[in-house]
Each structure stands twice: as structure tokens, then as C-alpha cells.
Amino acid sequence: MHALTLEEAIDRLPLNRLARRLAISGEIPDRDGKTVRCFFPDRHAHGDRNPSFNFHDRLTRFKCHGCGLHGRGPDLVALVLGIEPKEAVRRFVEMAGGPRPESLPLATKTRELVLPADLHSGTEAEIFTLASLRHLSPHALALASGMGILRFGTVHGFRCWIITDESRRIAEARRMDGKPFPVSGSLGERKAHTLAGSDKSWPVGLHPRSRRPERFRRIAIVEGSADLLAAFHFLIKYEAWDTLPVAILGRSCKTLHPEALRSFRGRRIRLFPHADEDGGGLAAAKQWVALIPRGGSVRPDAFNFAGLTRSDGTAINDLNDCTNIHETDQPALAGLFHYGKSNNPV
Ligand SMILES: [Zn+2]
């Protein structure tokens, strides 16, 4: 593949498209000279109420006349992701379609992920609405939003919460009113809608904003976006700060992205398979574990939900159900992220 130069990458990836892919919240101008609120309102005493930020030079440069920030695409990447300038240039060129890390099969990504135009990190009202809908701590949702994992936006005309990460390899939406998406085209009624261009082999959450996966000692692999939010809920509750929760979206996923497998190397890994009657959750977890190279690290294990009950007396099936656990079973959850004394090898 032809290696892109930085100048070519800057021509190829205009700032409005870059800003959308970085999930900037607030208005993103689509032409030079249109002034909007600064992308970095924290740098302003009153959140840049009188807009002072714009693009110029054919959408290749930005400048804020309030706080003085200015630069080109890689500078925006560095500011938003909080990474070093050199790394930001590499990431920017990659986002513009330049060379991907070697040994990554080209076929793994053929279509660009299509994200809603109004993708944003969530207002306080949205965070609280979702927290009450799903019985989750608003602090947990704010953390997931701050890490770039939880987003909000409009999908198929519905207001949705969206799970994605900085890799922009996959995104899944669920409706804010808790209802399923209606039948459309070849798609049947479904609780969760996977956005076009998604690569299901990528465990969503593995590429958080501003902190590399290598900085976490432990990884918690859950199934589905509802369990991912529940994982954030419990890692706040049990202060498991060295644990990075990720979700595999879809039990039928038979492969894991090679870059994900590399990120798992040397980490302690625990899975949280659904305890469904047909045993499908555990079977899927076993398949995923078989793909993870062992290479000296400790064998992954699994948390076992069997035998736990909800406050209404029905059986707990997954991590999401645990947010309504019966108080007599509450102590069992203290072991959720205690990787040392486990549970079940898988
Ligand atoms: Zn500014």
C-alpha cells in the first residue's frame, strides 16, 4: 500500500470529518470561517458562550480566537485524545487511510464505520435518563462517557445511547426509550442495532480515550452493550480501577481482531458469560478463550452467575441483571473483579 505523507493525509481528511470521527460534542462547522463554540470549552471562563472557534485554509486548520488554540489535524488529535504529538501524527495518518499496523489483514476492515452526524458525549440529562432506565450509577455512565465508550445520537430517527471506542471499528445503538428498533429492510425487530461498517471481531471498549489498554492490568470481557455499562457500574462500586471492561457484541462472533489479541497479551483476563439455560454463553466464552494466545500469562477465568437471584426472586442470567441482585446474594458480587481467587477456568 502507498504510504501517505502527512500533507496527503491532511488533504484527504478535512477537519470536519476528523472532528466527527473524534466524536467532538457540539456543533462542527462544515465550511471555512463559520464560527462555533470552542471544542475545548474548559479553556474558557464561561464555556465559550460567544463562539470563537473556526476552521480555515480549506478545512485544514483550526483556530480559537478566545483561548488561542490553533493547528492542523494531528494537533486536534493530540488535544482530543491527550496523546504525544508524534503518536498523534501516526494516528492521524492512519485515520486518513494510511498504512495500518503490519500483520493486520487488510480484509478485516473494508467499510468505514457510519456514525450519526449528531454523535455526542451526552448531556447531564441524557446520562441521568439512561441511568434510571437501566438501574445504573450515573457516575459509572459519566466515566464510560469520559473514556469515549458511551455516546449518544440519533439512529434510524430514534434517540439512542451508543457504545463505541476510539478505534472506530464498531458501534452499537440502543433506544433511549428502551424499546426495540422496528423492522426495516432486511433487518428484523432488534433491541440493539449495530451500525453499518462495524467489525464485530473488535471487543468494543478496548481502545478508550486517553489511556492505552496496556495501562490496565486486567481486562473484563462481557457479552453485549448492556453488560458493558453494568461492568462500569460495578467497577466503580468495587473500585477496580486497574480493570478495563470490553464487550464482544454478538455471541456468534467467531474471530477476534488480531490487534485485540495483541492487547490482551500479559493482561489478566476474566470473562462474564451469560448463564443461559442452553449454555450458549459459556460455549461462546470458551471459543473466545481458545483464540487468546496464552504466552505465559495466567489462564483466563470466568465469573459464574449460576445460583444468584434478583430481588424479585428470578434467576440472574448476566452482569446486567446483577444491578437488581437480591440482597442476600449481594456479597457474591464483591468477587466480581477479584481475579486472583477464581471461580471457573474456561
Ligand atoms: Zn477556545
Side-chain angles (χ1 to χ4, degrees):
M1 190 198 280
H2 161 67
L4 281 187
T5 65
L6 177 57
E7 297 307 317
E8 285 169 325
I10 283 171
D11 280 342
R12 207 194 265 205
L13 183 55
L15 288 174
N16 55 341
R17 267 181 54 210
L18 175 65
R20 277 196 189 96
R21 287 181 60 186
L22 292 169
I24 299 277
S25 50
E27 191 184 0
I28 296 170
D30 280 315
R31 56 180 167 80
D32 281 356
K34 180 167 194 241
T35 305
V36 298
R37 283 200 187 165
C38 184
F39 289 176
F40 307 93
D42 296 348
R43 297 174 53 92
H44 296 251
H46 302 289
D48 199 24
R49 264 191 310 216
N50 303 312
S52 40
F53 182 99
N54 65 30
F55 294 152
H56 58 109
D57 225 1
R58 283 168 296 119
L59 299 170
T60 63
R61 289 177 184 274
F62 64 91
K63 167 136 192 155
C64 176
H65 298 274
C67 67
L69 276 182
H70 64 276
R72 301 198 291 176
D75 306 299
L76 188 62
V77 171
L79 286 163
V80 172
L81 302 183
I83 57 179
E84 296 298 317
K86 210 173 144 192
E87 168 69 7
V89 168
R90 197 189 65 75
R91 287 274 283 280
F92 176 79
V93 172
E94 197 184 309
M95 289 173 86
R100 294 175 176 279
E102 48 188 307
S103 85
L104 208 164
L106 293 173
T108 51
K109 193 74 166 74
T110 47
R111 290 190 299 163
E112 194 175 334
L113 180 64
V114 183
L115 290 164
D118 65 343
L119 190 79
H120 61 283
S121 56
T123 61
E124 200 174 296
E126 284 170 321
I127 298 268
F128 276 96
T129 303
L130 181 59
S132 90
L133 175 74
R134 305 211 62 96
H135 307 281
L136 298 170
S137 140
H139 299 289
L141 300 185
L143 175 66
S145 168
M147 286 172 72
I149 311 301
L150 174 63
R151 290 287 177 261
F152 296 83
T154 309
V155 176
H156 285 288
F158 300 105
R159 290 181 56 224
C160 290
W161 56 278
I162 295 163
I163 291 297
T164 185
D165 69 22
E166 296 294 329
S167 72
R168 293 290 181 259
R169 290 196 168 105
I170 184 165
E172 187 176 271
R174 292 176 73 145
R175 287 171 57 171
M176 285 297 282
D177 58 12
K179 293 183 181 149
F181 289 91
V183 177
S184 62
S186 59
L187 299 170
E189 191 179 271
R190 61 224 178 273
K191 275 191 297 188
H193 175 77
T194 308
L195 301 191
S198 285
D199 175 354
K200 286 209 169 191
S201 75
W202 182 254
V204 64
L206 189 58
H207 202 322
R209 196 166 193 157
S210 72
R211 192 170 164 195
R212 294 157 165 274
E214 295 76 29
R215 304 275 299 277
F216 295 85
R217 287 171 53 224
R218 305 161 200 271
I219 290 180
I221 303 179
V222 304
E223 187 189 320
S225 49
D227 277 14
L228 185 60
L229 292 188
F232 276 98
H233 175 88
F234 288 112
L235 79 84
I236 282 215
K237 181 163 183 186
Y238 296 110
E239 301 184 357
W241 306 125
D242 59 353
T243 303
L244 179 66
V246 304
I248 297 178
L249 302 180
R251 177 171 295 188
S252 53
C253 170
K254 297 265 189 293
T255 58
L256 292 177
H257 197 288
E259 201 180 313
L261 294 174
R262 279 200 295 276
S263 295
F264 288 164
R265 208 176 284 156
R267 316 261 94 73
R268 291 294 300 271
I269 293 171
R270 173 170 287 180
L271 292 97
F272 296 79
H274 290 188
D276 26 33
E277 278 170 24
D278 66 357
L282 192 60
K286 282 187 171 154
Q287 273 189 351
W288 298 330
V289 165
L291 298 168
I292 300 171
R294 202 61 37 84
S297 50
V298 187
R299 189 182 171 84
D301 65 16
F303 188 83
N304 188 359
F305 295 108
L308 301 178
T309 51
R310 289 193 272 202
S311 46
D312 64 5
T314 57
I316 278 183
N317 187 43
D318 56 34
L319 195 57
N320 182 54
D321 291 343
C322 291
T323 59
N324 274 321
I325 196 165
H326 195 280
E327 64 183 74
T328 53
D329 284 341
Q330 192 86 47
L333 297 186
L336 274 177
F337 301 112
H338 271 206
Y339 286 34
K341 15 169 145 170
S342 187
N343 267 304
N344 309 314
V346 267

